[in-house]
Amino acid sequence: QVQLQESGPRLVKPSETLSLTCAVSGYSINTVNYWGWIRQPPGKGLEWIGSIYHSGITYYNPSLKSRVTISVDTSKNQFSLKLSSVTAADTAMYYCARVNGGYTFGYYFDYWGQGPLVTVSS
Amino acid sequence: SSVLTQPPSVSVAPGQTARITCGGNNIGSKNVHWYQQKPGQAPVLVVYDDSDRPSRIPERFSGSNSGNTATLTISRVAAGDEADYYCQVWDSISDHPRVVFGGGTKLTVL
């Protein structure tokens, strides 16, 4: 059973960096799958942040690319998100997820974490 | 780049069939995936690759995709199906490959 669990500060000050880690259990991160981050502002829809392969290959949402870094630590079976220069608009639920599918026919998210609400406020 | 359009809301009586659409330019050329999200919970994949279902999802959930519209169909709707539903594609054709979500549809069971 694949399980994902996000951890990190729930409150971040404006202009600082949001940092979250996703611990994966029941499945090795060092496989054919990508791993991704998705966020959801309160009362709004889903927004993809980016995805990473265990080798370090990444895809980022162009609208966030300048502020996002996603990394992977295969020794700890986890991957991480950093979002810099945050504002109140970055307040959201942040979900990590396992990516399935392929580049040609399309990626999708088959296992999700429960997602912490991260609030940006002074 | 892909823009996916969903109706904000769909209402259906218990036992009837709900159809939730996802519109996009030539979306039939892409694989479409669908998620169900109940209040306070993480999204759950209900249909992938247009019409395949994860093993834990009931057969009442099905999908189709052709032309400019993909459709999620829920047969014999029950109160427990009330949720937000999102479509999603992978846009690999643009200069910057990306995941795109539709805006979501709230399904209300009357």
Side-chain angles (χ1 to χ4, degrees), chain A residues 40 48 95 103 105 107-110 112-113, chain B residues 31 33 35 37 42 48 56 86 88 90 99:
Chain A
Q40 184 174 36
W48 173 67
Y95 298 103
Y103 186 93
F105 296 106
Y107 293 115
Y108 55 93
F109 305 97
D110 59 356
W112 295 64
Chain B
N31 281 5
H33 319 292
Y35 303 88
Q37 186 180 33
Y48 65 98
R56 57 192 177 276
Y86 295 90
Q88 176 248 308
W90 167 249
V99 170

mmCIF file with all atom_site columns, all heavy atoms in Angstrom, chain A residues 40 48 95 103 105 107-110 112-113, chain B residues 31 33 35 37 42 48 56 86 88 90 99:
data_model
loop_
_atom_site.group_PDB
_atom_site.id
_atom_site.type_symbol
_atom_site.label_atom_id
_atom_site.label_alt_id
_atom_site.label_comp_id
_atom_site.label_asym_id
_atom_site.label_entity_id
_atom_site.label_seq_id
_atom_site.pdbx_PDB_ins_code
_atom_site.Cartn_x
_atom_site.Cartn_y
_atom_site.Cartn_z
_atom_site.occupancy
_atom_site.B_iso_or_equiv
_atom_site.pdbx_formal_charge
_atom_site.auth_seq_id
_atom_site.auth_comp_id
_atom_site.auth_asym_id
_atom_site.auth_atom_id
_atom_site.pdbx_PDB_model_num
ATOM 1   N N   . GLN A 1 40  ? -3.856  23.656 -3.607  1.00 0.00 ? 40  GLN A N   1
ATOM 2   C CA  . GLN A 1 40  ? -5.254  24.048 -3.743  1.00 0.00 ? 40  GLN A CA  1
ATOM 3   C C   . GLN A 1 40  ? -5.553  25.170 -2.761  1.00 0.00 ? 40  GLN A C   1
ATOM 4   O O   . GLN A 1 40  ? -5.697  24.918 -1.551  1.00 0.00 ? 40  GLN A O   1
ATOM 5   C CB  . GLN A 1 40  ? -6.170  22.848 -3.484  1.00 0.00 ? 40  GLN A CB  1
ATOM 6   C CG  . GLN A 1 40  ? -7.643  23.122 -3.698  1.00 0.00 ? 40  GLN A CG  1
ATOM 7   C CD  . GLN A 1 40  ? -8.468  21.860 -3.563  1.00 0.00 ? 40  GLN A CD  1
ATOM 8   O OE1 . GLN A 1 40  ? -8.171  20.985 -2.744  1.00 0.00 ? 40  GLN A OE1 1
ATOM 9   N NE2 . GLN A 1 40  ? -9.514  21.756 -4.376  1.00 0.00 ? 40  GLN A NE2 1
ATOM 10  N N   . TRP A 1 48  ? -1.182  22.366 -10.406 1.00 0.00 ? 48  TRP A N   1
ATOM 11  C CA  . TRP A 1 48  ? 0.051   21.581 -10.412 1.00 0.00 ? 48  TRP A CA  1
ATOM 12  C C   . TRP A 1 48  ? 1.244   22.505 -10.178 1.00 0.00 ? 48  TRP A C   1
ATOM 13  O O   . TRP A 1 48  ? 1.346   23.562 -10.782 1.00 0.00 ? 48  TRP A O   1
ATOM 14  C CB  . TRP A 1 48  ? 0.177   20.873 -11.750 1.00 0.00 ? 48  TRP A CB  1
ATOM 15  C CG  . TRP A 1 48  ? 1.465   20.151 -11.984 1.00 0.00 ? 48  TRP A CG  1
ATOM 16  C CD1 . TRP A 1 48  ? 1.923   19.040 -11.333 1.00 0.00 ? 48  TRP A CD1 1
ATOM 17  C CD2 . TRP A 1 48  ? 2.447   20.464 -12.974 1.00 0.00 ? 48  TRP A CD2 1
ATOM 18  N NE1 . TRP A 1 48  ? 3.140   18.653 -11.841 1.00 0.00 ? 48  TRP A NE1 1
ATOM 19  C CE2 . TRP A 1 48  ? 3.488   19.506 -12.857 1.00 0.00 ? 48  TRP A CE2 1
ATOM 20  C CE3 . TRP A 1 48  ? 2.568   21.459 -13.951 1.00 0.00 ? 48  TRP A CE3 1
ATOM 21  C CZ2 . TRP A 1 48  ? 4.616   19.512 -13.686 1.00 0.00 ? 48  TRP A CZ2 1
ATOM 22  C CZ3 . TRP A 1 48  ? 3.677   21.459 -14.777 1.00 0.00 ? 48  TRP A CZ3 1
ATOM 23  C CH2 . TRP A 1 48  ? 4.695   20.497 -14.637 1.00 0.00 ? 48  TRP A CH2 1
ATOM 24  N N   . TYR A 1 95  ? -0.449  19.229 -1.591  1.00 0.00 ? 95  TYR A N   1
ATOM 25  C CA  . TYR A 1 95  ? -0.489  17.773 -1.680  1.00 0.00 ? 95  TYR A CA  1
ATOM 26  C C   . TYR A 1 95  ? 0.747   17.249 -2.408  1.00 0.00 ? 95  TYR A C   1
ATOM 27  O O   . TYR A 1 95  ? 1.160   17.812 -3.429  1.00 0.00 ? 95  TYR A O   1
ATOM 28  C CB  . TYR A 1 95  ? -1.707  17.318 -2.476  1.00 0.00 ? 95  TYR A CB  1
ATOM 29  C CG  . TYR A 1 95  ? -3.046  17.683 -1.890  1.00 0.00 ? 95  TYR A CG  1
ATOM 30  C CD1 . TYR A 1 95  ? -3.796  18.745 -2.400  1.00 0.00 ? 95  TYR A CD1 1
ATOM 31  C CD2 . TYR A 1 95  ? -3.598  16.951 -0.835  1.00 0.00 ? 95  TYR A CD2 1
ATOM 32  C CE1 . TYR A 1 95  ? -5.036  19.061 -1.891  1.00 0.00 ? 95  TYR A CE1 1
ATOM 33  C CE2 . TYR A 1 95  ? -4.832  17.266 -0.307  1.00 0.00 ? 95  TYR A CE2 1
ATOM 34  C CZ  . TYR A 1 95  ? -5.545  18.322 -0.838  1.00 0.00 ? 95  TYR A CZ  1
ATOM 35  O OH  . TYR A 1 95  ? -6.778  18.639 -0.319  1.00 0.00 ? 95  TYR A OH  1
ATOM 36  N N   . TYR A 1 103 ? 5.270   10.076 -20.649 1.00 0.00 ? 103 TYR A N   1
ATOM 37  C CA  . TYR A 1 103 ? 5.384   11.380 -21.303 1.00 0.00 ? 103 TYR A CA  1
ATOM 38  C C   . TYR A 1 103 ? 4.476   11.473 -22.525 1.00 0.00 ? 103 TYR A C   1
ATOM 39  O O   . TYR A 1 103 ? 3.819   12.472 -22.769 1.00 0.00 ? 103 TYR A O   1
ATOM 40  C CB  . TYR A 1 103 ? 6.843   11.629 -21.715 1.00 0.00 ? 103 TYR A CB  1
ATOM 41  C CG  . TYR A 1 103 ? 7.078   13.009 -22.256 1.00 0.00 ? 103 TYR A CG  1
ATOM 42  C CD1 . TYR A 1 103 ? 7.503   14.040 -21.421 1.00 0.00 ? 103 TYR A CD1 1
ATOM 43  C CD2 . TYR A 1 103 ? 6.874   13.309 -23.608 1.00 0.00 ? 103 TYR A CD2 1
ATOM 44  C CE1 . TYR A 1 103 ? 7.713   15.318 -21.909 1.00 0.00 ? 103 TYR A CE1 1
ATOM 45  C CE2 . TYR A 1 103 ? 7.084   14.582 -24.105 1.00 0.00 ? 103 TYR A CE2 1
ATOM 46  C CZ  . TYR A 1 103 ? 7.501   15.574 -23.250 1.00 0.00 ? 103 TYR A CZ  1
ATOM 47  O OH  . TYR A 1 103 ? 7.695   16.850 -23.726 1.00 0.00 ? 103 TYR A OH  1
ATOM 48  N N   . PHE A 1 105 ? 1.720   9.532  -23.503 1.00 0.00 ? 105 PHE A N   1
ATOM 49  C CA  . PHE A 1 105 ? 0.275   9.326  -23.355 1.00 0.00 ? 105 PHE A CA  1
ATOM 50  C C   . PHE A 1 105 ? -0.301  10.044 -22.150 1.00 0.00 ? 105 PHE A C   1
ATOM 51  O O   . PHE A 1 105 ? -1.503  10.040 -21.946 1.00 0.00 ? 105 PHE A O   1
ATOM 52  C CB  . PHE A 1 105 ? -0.035  7.839  -23.312 1.00 0.00 ? 105 PHE A CB  1
ATOM 53  C CG  . PHE A 1 105 ? 0.320   7.138  -24.594 1.00 0.00 ? 105 PHE A CG  1
ATOM 54  C CD1 . PHE A 1 105 ? 1.427   6.320  -24.671 1.00 0.00 ? 105 PHE A CD1 1
ATOM 55  C CD2 . PHE A 1 105 ? -0.449  7.339  -25.730 1.00 0.00 ? 105 PHE A CD2 1
ATOM 56  C CE1 . PHE A 1 105 ? 1.769   5.688  -25.861 1.00 0.00 ? 105 PHE A CE1 1
ATOM 57  C CE2 . PHE A 1 105 ? -0.112  6.702  -26.928 1.00 0.00 ? 105 PHE A CE2 1
ATOM 58  C CZ  . PHE A 1 105 ? 0.999   5.888  -26.984 1.00 0.00 ? 105 PHE A CZ  1
ATOM 59  N N   . TYR A 1 107 ? 0.598   11.879 -18.006 1.00 0.00 ? 107 TYR A N   1
ATOM 60  C CA  . TYR A 1 107 ? 0.821   11.567 -16.597 1.00 0.00 ? 107 TYR A CA  1
ATOM 61  C C   . TYR A 1 107 ? -0.447  11.815 -15.804 1.00 0.00 ? 107 TYR A C   1
ATOM 62  O O   . TYR A 1 107 ? -1.245  12.697 -16.142 1.00 0.00 ? 107 TYR A O   1
ATOM 63  C CB  . TYR A 1 107 ? 1.947   12.433 -16.036 1.00 0.00 ? 107 TYR A CB  1
ATOM 64  C CG  . TYR A 1 107 ? 3.316   12.139 -16.606 1.00 0.00 ? 107 TYR A CG  1
ATOM 65  C CD1 . TYR A 1 107 ? 3.996   13.094 -17.368 1.00 0.00 ? 107 TYR A CD1 1
ATOM 66  C CD2 . TYR A 1 107 ? 3.948   10.922 -16.363 1.00 0.00 ? 107 TYR A CD2 1
ATOM 67  C CE1 . TYR A 1 107 ? 5.263   12.832 -17.883 1.00 0.00 ? 107 TYR A CE1 1
ATOM 68  C CE2 . TYR A 1 107 ? 5.215   10.655 -16.876 1.00 0.00 ? 107 TYR A CE2 1
ATOM 69  C CZ  . TYR A 1 107 ? 5.868   11.617 -17.634 1.00 0.00 ? 107 TYR A CZ  1
ATOM 70  O OH  . TYR A 1 107 ? 7.113   11.365 -18.132 1.00 0.00 ? 107 TYR A OH  1
ATOM 71  N N   . TYR A 1 108 ? -0.617  11.104 -14.714 1.00 0.00 ? 108 TYR A N   1
ATOM 72  C CA  . TYR A 1 108 ? -1.713  11.332 -13.778 1.00 0.00 ? 108 TYR A CA  1
ATOM 73  C C   . TYR A 1 108 ? -1.236  10.959 -12.379 1.00 0.00 ? 108 TYR A C   1
ATOM 74  O O   . TYR A 1 108 ? -0.166  10.374 -12.211 1.00 0.00 ? 108 TYR A O   1
ATOM 75  C CB  . TYR A 1 108 ? -2.966  10.524 -14.158 1.00 0.00 ? 108 TYR A CB  1
ATOM 76  C CG  . TYR A 1 108 ? -2.751  9.039  -14.298 1.00 0.00 ? 108 TYR A CG  1
ATOM 77  C CD1 . TYR A 1 108 ? -2.957  8.182  -13.216 1.00 0.00 ? 108 TYR A CD1 1
ATOM 78  C CD2 . TYR A 1 108 ? -2.359  8.485  -15.511 1.00 0.00 ? 108 TYR A CD2 1
ATOM 79  C CE1 . TYR A 1 108 ? -2.758  6.815  -13.342 1.00 0.00 ? 108 TYR A CE1 1
ATOM 80  C CE2 . TYR A 1 108 ? -2.158  7.119  -15.651 1.00 0.00 ? 108 TYR A CE2 1
ATOM 81  C CZ  . TYR A 1 108 ? -2.360  6.285  -14.567 1.00 0.00 ? 108 TYR A CZ  1
ATOM 82  O OH  . TYR A 1 108 ? -2.158  4.932  -14.703 1.00 0.00 ? 108 TYR A OH  1
ATOM 83  N N   . PHE A 1 109 ? -2.036  11.303 -11.369 1.00 0.00 ? 109 PHE A N   1
ATOM 84  C CA  . PHE A 1 109 ? -1.654  11.132 -9.973  1.00 0.00 ? 109 PHE A CA  1
ATOM 85  C C   . PHE A 1 109 ? -2.513  10.047 -9.334  1.00 0.00 ? 109 PHE A C   1
ATOM 86  O O   . PHE A 1 109 ? -3.724  10.234 -9.183  1.00 0.00 ? 109 PHE A O   1
ATOM 87  C CB  . PHE A 1 109 ? -1.826  12.463 -9.228  1.00 0.00 ? 109 PHE A CB  1
ATOM 88  C CG  . PHE A 1 109 ? -1.076  13.599 -9.888  1.00 0.00 ? 109 PHE A CG  1
ATOM 89  C CD1 . PHE A 1 109 ? -1.721  14.472 -10.752 1.00 0.00 ? 109 PHE A CD1 1
ATOM 90  C CD2 . PHE A 1 109 ? 0.282   13.789 -9.654  1.00 0.00 ? 109 PHE A CD2 1
ATOM 91  C CE1 . PHE A 1 109 ? -1.035  15.509 -11.378 1.00 0.00 ? 109 PHE A CE1 1
ATOM 92  C CE2 . PHE A 1 109 ? 0.976   14.820 -10.268 1.00 0.00 ? 109 PHE A CE2 1
ATOM 93  C CZ  . PHE A 1 109 ? 0.314   15.671 -11.131 1.00 0.00 ? 109 PHE A CZ  1
ATOM 94  N N   . ASP A 1 110 ? -1.897  8.914  -8.970  1.00 0.00 ? 110 ASP A N   1
ATOM 95  C CA  . ASP A 1 110 ? -2.705  7.803  -8.494  1.00 0.00 ? 110 ASP A CA  1
ATOM 96  C C   . ASP A 1 110 ? -2.712  7.621  -6.982  1.00 0.00 ? 110 ASP A C   1
ATOM 97  O O   . ASP A 1 110 ? -3.597  6.947  -6.445  1.00 0.00 ? 110 ASP A O   1
ATOM 98  C CB  . ASP A 1 110 ? -2.323  6.497  -9.209  1.00 0.00 ? 110 ASP A CB  1
ATOM 99  C CG  . ASP A 1 110 ? -0.862  6.103  -9.032  1.00 0.00 ? 110 ASP A CG  1
ATOM 100 O OD1 . ASP A 1 110 ? -0.099  6.867  -8.428  1.00 0.00 ? 110 ASP A OD1 1
ATOM 101 O OD2 . ASP A 1 110 ? -0.500  5.012  -9.521  1.00 0.00 ? 110 ASP A OD2 1
ATOM 102 N N   . TRP A 1 112 ? -2.174  10.003 -3.315  1.00 0.00 ? 112 TRP A N   1
ATOM 103 C CA  . TRP A 1 112 ? -2.034  11.361 -2.794  1.00 0.00 ? 112 TRP A CA  1
ATOM 104 C C   . TRP A 1 112 ? -1.794  11.331 -1.283  1.00 0.00 ? 112 TRP A C   1
ATOM 105 O O   . TRP A 1 112 ? -2.315  10.471 -0.573  1.00 0.00 ? 112 TRP A O   1
ATOM 106 C CB  . TRP A 1 112 ? -3.319  12.158 -3.043  1.00 0.00 ? 112 TRP A CB  1
ATOM 107 C CG  . TRP A 1 112 ? -3.657  12.410 -4.478  1.00 0.00 ? 112 TRP A CG  1
ATOM 108 C CD1 . TRP A 1 112 ? -3.960  11.472 -5.433  1.00 0.00 ? 112 TRP A CD1 1
ATOM 109 C CD2 . TRP A 1 112 ? -3.775  13.676 -5.114  1.00 0.00 ? 112 TRP A CD2 1
ATOM 110 N NE1 . TRP A 1 112 ? -4.246  12.086 -6.629  1.00 0.00 ? 112 TRP A NE1 1
ATOM 111 C CE2 . TRP A 1 112 ? -4.147  13.441 -6.458  1.00 0.00 ? 112 TRP A CE2 1
ATOM 112 C CE3 . TRP A 1 112 ? -3.611  14.994 -4.690  1.00 0.00 ? 112 TRP A CE3 1
ATOM 113 C CZ2 . TRP A 1 112 ? -4.348  14.474 -7.377  1.00 0.00 ? 112 TRP A CZ2 1
ATOM 114 C CZ3 . TRP A 1 112 ? -3.814  16.024 -5.612  1.00 0.00 ? 112 TRP A CZ3 1
ATOM 115 C CH2 . TRP A 1 112 ? -4.178  15.768 -6.930  1.00 0.00 ? 112 TRP A CH2 1
ATOM 116 N N   . GLY A 1 113 ? -1.045  12.324 -0.807  1.00 0.00 ? 113 GLY A N   1
ATOM 117 C CA  . GLY A 1 113 ? -0.988  12.571 0.619   1.00 0.00 ? 113 GLY A CA  1
ATOM 118 C C   . GLY A 1 113 ? -2.221  13.338 1.060   1.00 0.00 ? 113 GLY A C   1
ATOM 119 O O   . GLY A 1 113 ? -3.049  13.736 0.222   1.00 0.00 ? 113 GLY A O   1
ATOM 120 N N   . ASN B 2 31  ? -4.910  11.971 -23.406 1.00 0.00 ? 31  ASN B N   1
ATOM 121 C CA  . ASN B 2 31  ? -5.515  11.120 -22.383 1.00 0.00 ? 31  ASN B CA  1
ATOM 122 C C   . ASN B 2 31  ? -6.031  12.001 -21.249 1.00 0.00 ? 31  ASN B C   1
ATOM 123 O O   . ASN B 2 31  ? -5.299  12.863 -20.748 1.00 0.00 ? 31  ASN B O   1
ATOM 124 C CB  . ASN B 2 31  ? -4.499  10.116 -21.837 1.00 0.00 ? 31  ASN B CB  1
ATOM 125 C CG  . ASN B 2 31  ? -4.290  8.936  -22.771 1.00 0.00 ? 31  ASN B CG  1
ATOM 126 O OD1 . ASN B 2 31  ? -4.827  8.908  -23.870 1.00 0.00 ? 31  ASN B OD1 1
ATOM 127 N ND2 . ASN B 2 31  ? -3.518  7.970  -22.326 1.00 0.00 ? 31  ASN B ND2 1
ATOM 128 N N   . HIS B 2 33  ? -7.819  12.377 -17.423 1.00 0.00 ? 33  HIS B N   1
ATOM 129 C CA  . HIS B 2 33  ? -7.903  11.702 -16.135 1.00 0.00 ? 33  HIS B CA  1
ATOM 130 C C   . HIS B 2 33  ? -8.866  12.483 -15.249 1.00 0.00 ? 33  HIS B C   1
ATOM 131 O O   . HIS B 2 33  ? -8.986  13.715 -15.362 1.00 0.00 ? 33  HIS B O   1
ATOM 132 C CB  . HIS B 2 33  ? -6.517  11.629 -15.490 1.00 0.00 ? 33  HIS B CB  1
ATOM 133 C CG  . HIS B 2 33  ? -5.430  11.313 -16.474 1.00 0.00 ? 33  HIS B CG  1
ATOM 134 N ND1 . HIS B 2 33  ? -5.314  10.089 -17.100 1.00 0.00 ? 33  HIS B ND1 1
ATOM 135 C CD2 . HIS B 2 33  ? -4.433  12.099 -16.967 1.00 0.00 ? 33  HIS B CD2 1
ATOM 136 C CE1 . HIS B 2 33  ? -4.289  10.127 -17.936 1.00 0.00 ? 33  HIS B CE1 1
ATOM 137 N NE2 . HIS B 2 33  ? -3.742  11.330 -17.878 1.00 0.00 ? 33  HIS B NE2 1
ATOM 138 N N   . TYR B 2 35  ? -10.634 13.098 -11.209 1.00 0.00 ? 35  TYR B N   1
ATOM 139 C CA  . TYR B 2 35  ? -10.461 12.975 -9.764  1.00 0.00 ? 35  TYR B CA  1
ATOM 140 C C   . TYR B 2 35  ? -11.758 13.370 -9.063  1.00 0.00 ? 35  TYR B C   1
ATOM 141 O O   . TYR B 2 35  ? -12.442 14.296 -9.494  1.00 0.00 ? 35  TYR B O   1
ATOM 142 C CB  . TYR B 2 35  ? -9.331  13.876 -9.261  1.00 0.00 ? 35  TYR B CB  1
ATOM 143 C CG  . TYR B 2 35  ? -8.019  13.588 -9.937  1.00 0.00 ? 35  TYR B CG  1
ATOM 144 C CD1 . TYR B 2 35  ? -7.682  14.221 -11.129 1.00 0.00 ? 35  TYR B CD1 1
ATOM 145 C CD2 . TYR B 2 35  ? -7.116  12.665 -9.412  1.00 0.00 ? 35  TYR B CD2 1
ATOM 146 C CE1 . TYR B 2 35  ? -6.491  13.943 -11.779 1.00 0.00 ? 35  TYR B CE1 1
ATOM 147 C CE2 . TYR B 2 35  ? -5.921  12.380 -10.051 1.00 0.00 ? 35  TYR B CE2 1
ATOM 148 C CZ  . TYR B 2 35  ? -5.616  13.022 -11.242 1.00 0.00 ? 35  TYR B CZ  1
ATOM 149 O OH  . TYR B 2 35  ? -4.436  12.742 -11.883 1.00 0.00 ? 35  TYR B OH  1
ATOM 150 N N   . GLN B 2 37  ? -13.105 14.708 -5.328  1.00 0.00 ? 37  GLN B N   1
ATOM 151 C CA  . GLN B 2 37  ? -12.646 15.286 -4.071  1.00 0.00 ? 37  GLN B CA  1
ATOM 152 C C   . GLN B 2 37  ? -13.833 15.617 -3.183  1.00 0.00 ? 37  GLN B C   1
ATOM 153 O O   . GLN B 2 37  ? -14.632 16.499 -3.504  1.00 0.00 ? 37  GLN B O   1
ATOM 154 C CB  . GLN B 2 37  ? -11.803 16.543 -4.306  1.00 0.00 ? 37  GLN B CB  1
ATOM 155 C CG  . GLN B 2 37  ? -11.197 17.089 -3.018  1.00 0.00 ? 37  GLN B CG  1
ATOM 156 C CD  . GLN B 2 37  ? -10.350 18.326 -3.224  1.00 0.00 ? 37  GLN B CD  1
ATOM 157 O OE1 . GLN B 2 37  ? -10.627 19.146 -4.110  1.00 0.00 ? 37  GLN B OE1 1
ATOM 158 N NE2 . GLN B 2 37  ? -9.307  18.485 -2.420  1.00 0.00 ? 37  GLN B NE2 1
ATOM 159 N N   . ALA B 2 42  ? -8.338  14.648 0.406   1.00 0.00 ? 42  ALA B N   1
ATOM 160 C CA  . ALA B 2 42  ? -7.493  14.754 -0.774  1.00 0.00 ? 42  ALA B CA  1
ATOM 161 C C   . ALA B 2 42  ? -8.230  14.190 -1.997  1.00 0.00 ? 42  ALA B C   1
ATOM 162 O O   . ALA B 2 42  ? -9.137  13.353 -1.852  1.00 0.00 ? 42  ALA B O   1
ATOM 163 C CB  . ALA B 2 42  ? -6.198  13.972 -0.558  1.00 0.00 ? 42  ALA B CB  1
ATOM 164 N N   . TYR B 2 48  ? -8.684  7.037  -15.340 1.00 0.00 ? 48  TYR B N   1
ATOM 165 C CA  . TYR B 2 48  ? -7.435  7.463  -15.979 1.00 0.00 ? 48  TYR B CA  1
ATOM 166 C C   . TYR B 2 48  ? -7.410  6.982  -17.431 1.00 0.00 ? 48  TYR B C   1
ATOM 167 O O   . TYR B 2 48  ? -8.147  6.065  -17.801 1.00 0.00 ? 48  TYR B O   1
ATOM 168 C CB  . TYR B 2 48  ? -6.212  6.971  -15.199 1.00 0.00 ? 48  TYR B CB  1
ATOM 169 C CG  . TYR B 2 48  ? -6.037  5.463  -15.169 1.00 0.00 ? 48  TYR B CG  1
ATOM 170 C CD1 . TYR B 2 48  ? -5.176  4.828  -16.050 1.00 0.00 ? 48  TYR B CD1 1
ATOM 171 C CD2 . TYR B 2 48  ? -6.725  4.689  -14.238 1.00 0.00 ? 48  TYR B CD2 1
ATOM 172 C CE1 . TYR B 2 48  ? -5.015  3.467  -16.024 1.00 0.00 ? 48  TYR B CE1 1
ATOM 173 C CE2 . TYR B 2 48  ? -6.574  3.320  -14.202 1.00 0.00 ? 48  TYR B CE2 1
ATOM 174 C CZ  . TYR B 2 48  ? -5.709  2.707  -15.099 1.00 0.00 ? 48  TYR B CZ  1
ATOM 175 O OH  . TYR B 2 48  ? -5.546  1.342  -15.073 1.00 0.00 ? 48  TYR B OH  1
ATOM 176 N N   . ARG B 2 56  ? -10.038 -0.050 -7.164  1.00 0.00 ? 56  ARG B N   1
ATOM 177 C CA  . ARG B 2 56  ? -10.896 0.231  -6.012  1.00 0.00 ? 56  ARG B CA  1
ATOM 178 C C   . ARG B 2 56  ? -12.118 1.100  -6.363  1.00 0.00 ? 56  ARG B C   1
ATOM 179 O O   . ARG B 2 56  ? -12.943 1.388  -5.501  1.00 0.00 ? 56  ARG B O   1
ATOM 180 C CB  . ARG B 2 56  ? -10.074 0.930  -4.923  1.00 0.00 ? 56  ARG B CB  1
ATOM 181 C CG  . ARG B 2 56  ? -9.424  2.216  -5.410  1.00 0.00 ? 56  ARG B CG  1
ATOM 182 C CD  . ARG B 2 56  ? -8.386  2.737  -4.404  1.00 0.00 ? 56  ARG B CD  1
ATOM 183 N NE  . ARG B 2 56  ? -7.695  3.929  -4.867  1.00 0.00 ? 56  ARG B NE  1
ATOM 184 C CZ  . ARG B 2 56  ? -6.632  3.910  -5.666  1.00 0.00 ? 56  ARG B CZ  1
ATOM 185 N NH1 . ARG B 2 56  ? -6.149  2.763  -6.110  1.00 0.00 ? 56  ARG B NH1 1
ATOM 186 N NH2 . ARG B 2 56  ? -6.055  5.035  -6.034  1.00 0.00 ? 56  ARG B NH2 1
ATOM 187 N N   . TYR B 2 86  ? -12.644 16.840 -10.907 1.00 0.00 ? 86  TYR B N   1
ATOM 188 C CA  . TYR B 2 86  ? -11.675 17.582 -11.727 1.00 0.00 ? 86  TYR B CA  1
ATOM 189 C C   . TYR B 2 86  ? -11.162 16.701 -12.864 1.00 0.00 ? 86  TYR B C   1
ATOM 190 O O   . TYR B 2 86  ? -10.824 15.528 -12.645 1.00 0.00 ? 86  TYR B O   1
ATOM 191 C CB  . TYR B 2 86  ? -10.474 18.009 -10.885 1.00 0.00 ? 86  TYR B CB  1
ATOM 192 C CG  . TYR B 2 86  ? -10.790 19.006 -9.792  1.00 0.00 ? 86  TYR B CG  1
ATOM 193 C CD1 . TYR B 2 86  ? -11.148 18.591 -8.517  1.00 0.00 ? 86  TYR B CD1 1
ATOM 194 C CD2 . TYR B 2 86  ? -10.712 20.376 -10.046 1.00 0.00 ? 86  TYR B CD2 1
ATOM 195 C CE1 . TYR B 2 86  ? -11.445 19.507 -7.523  1.00 0.00 ? 86  TYR B CE1 1
ATOM 196 C CE2 . TYR B 2 86  ? -11.002 21.297 -9.055  1.00 0.00 ? 86  TYR B CE2 1
ATOM 197 C CZ  . TYR B 2 86  ? -11.367 20.854 -7.798  1.00 0.00 ? 86  TYR B CZ  1
ATOM 198 O OH  . TYR B 2 86  ? -11.654 21.766 -6.816  1.00 0.00 ? 86  TYR B OH  1
ATOM 199 N N   . GLN B 2 88  ? -8.119  16.325 -15.882 1.00 0.00 ? 88  GLN B N   1
ATOM 200 C CA  . GLN B 2 88  ? -6.696  16.669 -15.950 1.00 0.00 ? 88  GLN B CA  1
ATOM 201 C C   . GLN B 2 88  ? -6.074  16.046 -17.198 1.00 0.00 ? 88  GLN B C   1
ATOM 202 O O   . GLN B 2 88  ? -6.402  14.921 -17.576 1.00 0.00 ? 88  GLN B O   1
ATOM 203 C CB  . GLN B 2 88  ? -5.982  16.160 -14.701 1.00 0.00 ? 88  GLN B CB  1
ATOM 204 C CG  . GLN B 2 88  ? -4.473  16.379 -14.681 1.00 0.00 ? 88  GLN B CG  1
ATOM 205 C CD  . GLN B 2 88  ? -3.684  15.076 -14.771 1.00 0.00 ? 88  GLN B CD  1
ATOM 206 O OE1 . GLN B 2 88  ? -3.899  14.141 -14.016 1.00 0.00 ? 88  GLN B OE1 1
ATOM 207 N NE2 . GLN B 2 88  ? -2.719  15.018 -15.692 1.00 0.00 ? 88  GLN B NE2 1
ATOM 208 N N   . TRP B 2 90  ? -2.092  15.955 -19.558 1.00 0.00 ? 90  TRP B N   1
ATOM 209 C CA  . TRP B 2 90  ? -0.687  16.272 -19.640 1.00 0.00 ? 90  TRP B CA  1
ATOM 210 C C   . TRP B 2 90  ? -0.466  16.914 -21.006 1.00 0.00 ? 90  TRP B C   1
ATOM 211 O O   . TRP B 2 90  ? -0.723  16.299 -22.030 1.00 0.00 ? 90  TRP B O   1
ATOM 212 C CB  . TRP B 2 90  ? 0.145   15.004 -19.502 1.00 0.00 ? 90  TRP B CB  1
ATOM 213 C CG  . TRP B 2 90  ? 1.607   15.111 -19.865 1.00 0.00 ? 90  TRP B CG  1
ATOM 214 C CD1 . TRP B 2 90  ? 2.232   14.540 -20.936 1.00 0.00 ? 90  TRP B CD1 1
ATOM 215 C CD2 . TRP B 2 90  ? 2.619   15.820 -19.153 1.00 0.00 ? 90  TRP B CD2 1
ATOM 216 N NE1 . TRP B 2 90  ? 3.561   14.846 -20.929 1.00 0.00 ? 90  TRP B NE1 1
ATOM 217 C CE2 . TRP B 2 90  ? 3.847   15.629 -19.846 1.00 0.00 ? 90  TRP B CE2 1
ATOM 218 C CE3 . TRP B 2 90  ? 2.633   16.601 -17.989 1.00 0.00 ? 90  TRP B CE3 1
ATOM 219 C CZ2 . TRP B 2 90  ? 5.050   16.187 -19.402 1.00 0.00 ? 90  TRP B CZ2 1
ATOM 220 C CZ3 . TRP B 2 90  ? 3.832   17.152 -17.559 1.00 0.00 ? 90  TRP B CZ3 1
ATOM 221 C CH2 . TRP B 2 90  ? 5.015   16.947 -18.257 1.00 0.00 ? 90  TRP B CH2 1
ATOM 222 N N   . VAL B 2 99  ? 1.236   19.775 -16.499 1.00 0.00 ? 99  VAL B N   1
ATOM 223 C CA  . VAL B 2 99  ? -0.037  19.177 -16.091 1.00 0.00 ? 99  VAL B CA  1
ATOM 224 C C   . VAL B 2 99  ? -1.071  20.297 -16.041 1.00 0.00 ? 99  VAL B C   1
ATOM 225 O O   . VAL B 2 99  ? -0.790  21.382 -15.530 1.00 0.00 ? 99  VAL B O   1
ATOM 226 C CB  . VAL B 2 99  ? 0.088   18.530 -14.696 1.00 0.00 ? 99  VAL B CB  1
ATOM 227 C CG1 . VAL B 2 99  ? -1.287  18.135 -14.161 1.00 0.00 ? 99  VAL B CG1 1
ATOM 228 C CG2 . VAL B 2 99  ? 1.016   17.319 -14.749 1.00 0.00 ? 99  VAL B CG2 1
#
